[in-house]
Structure formats: structure tokens, C-alpha cells
Amino acid sequence: MKTALENIRIEAGKALEAAADTAAVEQLRVLYLGKKGKLTAILKQMGSLSPEERPVVGQLANEARAKIESLIADRKEALGKAALAGRLAAETLDVTMPGRKAPTGNRHPLNIVLEEVEEIFLGMGFDVVEGPEVEYDYYNFEALNMPKTHPSRDTQDTFYISDDIVLRTQTSPVQIRTMEQRKPPIRILSPGRVYRSDAVDATHSPLFHQIEGLVVDKGITMADLKGTLATFTQSLYGPEAKVRFRPHHFAYTEPSAEMDFMCYACKGEGCRLCKGEGWIELLGCGMVHPKVLENCGIDSAVYSGFAFGIGLERIAMRRFAINDLRLFYENDLRFLRQF
Ligand code: DAH
């Protein structure tokens, strides 16, 4: 029995050395020291020993148990230390390393320019209002003095959703919606998307943006229109910016005009930027047609107004020297990151 005890101790020692984790150590504890373990099995044979041998073997058995218990404790501690060292190594943080920067994105060039324009008009007492992009034919055309048979409907290739619902071809319908809801004095700016069924190229897109303006009050004249729009242009392009008005036709204004500003590259001489003209078109405008005021229940004998419509892409293209309209809508990060 002595040798059996000795062998168990040695065997247990080797097995523990090979145990790879605490679960394996626990299995070995059960195997050697458990109720049905190897050591217990030997102790059960003690009855067959002589009274003299019993205490000697008993003591040896206790020593073997104590030895194995301490081996188990040692192995557990060693495994624990190794696990901790492994975790510490894996979780090491180099606090001196520079942080990873989260990309913050940029403002879209169209938004940059839109905010500038809004800022200028807000400073002159305008409110910003919005209207729907899916619009009634009535607001987009009819109420703007363009009945179904009106020839100027042809100049705007319209996406029809039904006979009387369209994708708005201009922001001008917001004029009507505003005049229906508010009493003069009215001073509003209305930016937004507009749609025309144009083929895509460097200067055309079926979706683009306009900024509509409307002022209605007692005694508003062409002088107010000119003063307001000249002030706007100078705020946008600098105090030396010059503007000129050319007669034009819009169904909802009378008289109507287009406003150009003198080319800043050649100062009116004519160059590539202004295509030899010396002037660059900026917006359409005019005095609100009395019929349009009446359509909205505003007495044209008492009130008058002016209105204008600006193409947002055109301003942004010149501001940032962008030569292709498509760049605005393609979301190419190499383009967008430049702003
Ligand atoms: N709606 C016109 C267009 O799409 C722009 C415009 C011209 C708006 C004259 C106006 C205006 O309010 O008075 O080309």
C-alpha cells in the first residue's frame, strides 16, 4: 500500500503539471481526492491491515492527501497568474497613442450658398417659408396666371403625376400659398427643389433648386425691387458689384425683368466666364401681376408687390468654379470634401 500511495502522489503530480486550465485541475481533484477517487479507494483497503501497520499507513495516506492538495493549490495559482498575465498583455493600452479621429463630414456646397443667401435676406426682414414639391397644377401654373392653354407652360417641361398634380417646376407656387395664408405686409424667401423633365448634362438636371422671393405691401414699386436685389447682389459679390435689368416676360409679373450682374472676371469687357457678354444672368423678377394678387384675395388697388426667382446651382457653380452641375448630386466624397 505504501508504494501504491507513493505512485498515486507521483501520478497526480504529473497529471496536474499537464493540466491546461482550472477545469482540468478540478477534474483531477475529483479523480484523486473525491469520494470515488483513487486515494479513497486505497483507504478503503485499510481494514485488511494489522493494527500496527494501520497508523503508519494512515499517516502516509494523510501526507499523500496533503501533498496532492497542495499541488492542486499550486497549479491553480500558477494557472490563475498565467491567465491574468495573458489578459493584461492582451488589454494593454498605449495611452500615448494619438486617438482615432471620427470623420465629421462637410456642408454641401449648395447648402453653404443657400445659407449665405438666406442670411442676406433675413437681414432685410424676410421670413423663410417652405412649400410642397408635389404640387397642384393650380398653384404651379393656374393661380400664377398660366391657364391650361398658356404658351409659357411649354417652356417648362413638366412631370405630371395626374391631370391636376405635378412635381413643381418652380418655387413660385409658394407665393400663392403664402398670399392665401398671410395678410400683407409679406416678405418671404422660399428655397427648395424643383423638377423639370430635362435630360442630364453639365448644365441641366431634372432636379435643381430655386430660391423664391416675394414682397407685398402698400406702395411697393419697381424701385423697391431694384434696391432690394441690388443690395442682395452686393452682399453676395461685394460692394462694387454692378447690376442691370433687362425686360423679359413672366406670366405672373408685370412688368417682368431678368437681372444680370457685371462679370467680376472681366469687369464687363467680355471673357470666357461670361461667354463674351460682360454680364451674367442671376435671376428673374418683376412686379406681381394684379391678377395674381386678386387670385389670392388681395386687393390690387390697395396693395402691390415684387417677386423674384434665383437659381441656386448657378450661384454655387460660379462661387466655387464648378463646371458640371452633376457634381452636386453624385455624392462623390472627393468632391464634397473640398468645401
Ligand atoms: N419662376 C421663374 C423660373 O422658374 C423664376 C421667376 C421669375 C420667379 C420671375 C419669380 C419672378 O418670382 O417674379 O424661371
Side-chain angles (χ1 to χ4, degrees):
M1 277 181 80
K2 275 190 201 165
T3 30
L5 283 170
E6 191 62 17
N7 286 342
I8 285 181
R9 243 173 67 172
I10 293 167
E11 188 190 315
K14 281 186 182 155
L16 279 166
E17 206 123 298
D21 53 33
T22 48
V25 172
E26 181 57 22
Q27 270 178 15
L28 290 173
R29 195 188 61 76
V30 173
L31 180 64
Y32 288 99
L33 306 180
K35 275 187 194 150
K36 294 174 184 164
K38 293 192 177 187
L39 193 65
T40 321
I42 289 179
L43 292 179
K44 278 183 185 153
Q45 297 164 22
M46 293 262 282
S48 64
L49 295 175
S50 69
E52 300 81 53
E53 281 175 319
R54 234 176 268 167
V56 181
V57 173
Q59 199 188 337
L60 283 174
N62 281 342
E63 279 172 21
R65 168 177 288 275
K67 181 70 190 168
I68 294 173
E69 274 173 352
S70 92
L71 286 174
I72 288 174
D74 287 354
R75 189 64 190 143
K76 275 194 176 161
E77 196 188 323
L79 284 172
K81 273 189 186 156
L84 181 64
R87 247 180 57 200
L88 287 177
E91 292 175 8
T92 299
L93 280 184
D94 180 355
V95 293
T96 65
M97 239 160 79
R100 247 178 245 150
K101 274 204 188 131
T104 47
N106 297 57
R107 285 195 306 159
H108 195 278
L110 289 177
N111 271 327
I112 295 174
V113 172
L114 173 59
E115 275 173 35
E116 266 177 37
V117 173
E118 283 182 350
E119 219 32 63
I120 294 170
F121 281 103
L122 287 175
M124 293 195 269
F126 285 62
D127 283 345
V128 175
V129 301
E130 284 185 16
E133 291 169 30
V134 178
E135 185 57 286
Y136 288 108
D137 182 284
Y138 174 78
Y139 287 106
N140 195 77
F141 292 123
E142 204 99 3
L144 287 163
N145 201 26
M146 284 190 265
K148 292 257 192 245
T149 55
H150 199 281
S152 71
R153 282 195 180 207
D154 296 347
T155 63
Q156 303 184 356
D157 292 315
T158 310
F159 287 114
Y160 278 90
I161 289 187
S162 70
D163 273 352
D164 40 316
I165 298 177
V166 301
L167 293 184
R168 67 178 180 189
T169 59
Q170 47 188 355
T171 43
S172 304
V174 187
Q175 290 186 29
I176 306 297
R177 290 181 171 272
T178 305
M179 285 190 280
E180 280 183 353
Q181 282 163 18
R182 298 193 189 184
K183 299 250 161 300
I186 292 169
R187 250 178 300 180
I188 57 113
L189 198 68
S190 186
R193 295 191 187 112
V194 300
Y195 302 84
R196 292 186 197 175
S197 94
D198 281 327
V200 175
D201 65 26
T203 55
H204 291 88
S205 162
L207 180 162
F208 58 102
H209 298 77
Q210 289 186 336
I211 308 168
E212 193 78 13
L214 173 70
V215 172
V216 182
D217 203 352
K218 287 177 183 161
I220 296 291
T221 69
M222 194 87 184
D224 297 302
L225 178 157
K226 289 175 100 171
T228 305
L229 295 179
T231 303
F232 159 65
T233 311
Q234 282 156 5
S235 306
L236 194 64
Y237 291 120
E240 63 291 342
K242 282 201 169 61
V243 297
R244 76 174 184 193
F245 291 82
R246 274 180 295 106
H248 201 76
H249 174 265
F250 299 105
Y252 34 93
T253 45
E254 181 58 38
S256 304
E258 278 187 335
M259 191 188 84
D260 307 330
F261 66 98
M262 189 183 278
C263 178
Y264 44 74
C266 63
K267 303 271 179 287
E269 294 290 312
C271 66
R272 237 180 43 171
L273 184 71
C274 56
K275 303 203 179 83
E277 293 287 323
W279 295 83
I280 298 172
E281 184 195 322
L282 183 58
L283 51 84
C285 57
M287 301 305 293
V288 181
H289 198 294
K291 267 198 199 162
V292 173
L293 293 173
E294 298 295 338
N295 285 343
C296 305
I298 293 176
D299 186 349
S300 63
V302 180
Y303 293 102
S304 55
F306 69 84
F308 55 91
I310 309 171
L312 182 58
E313 277 80 356
R314 281 193 183 176
I315 301 184
M317 285 173 86
R318 280 194 300 268
R319 157 67 48 88
F320 298 116
I322 295 165
N323 56 13
D324 194 323
L325 189 67
R326 288 168 285 202
L327 288 165
F328 287 129
Y329 315 114
E330 284 169 347
N331 290 330
D332 184 334
L333 289 177
R334 293 168 302 178
F335 170 73
L336 294 175
R337 285 202 179 110
Q338 299 175 55
F339 301 95

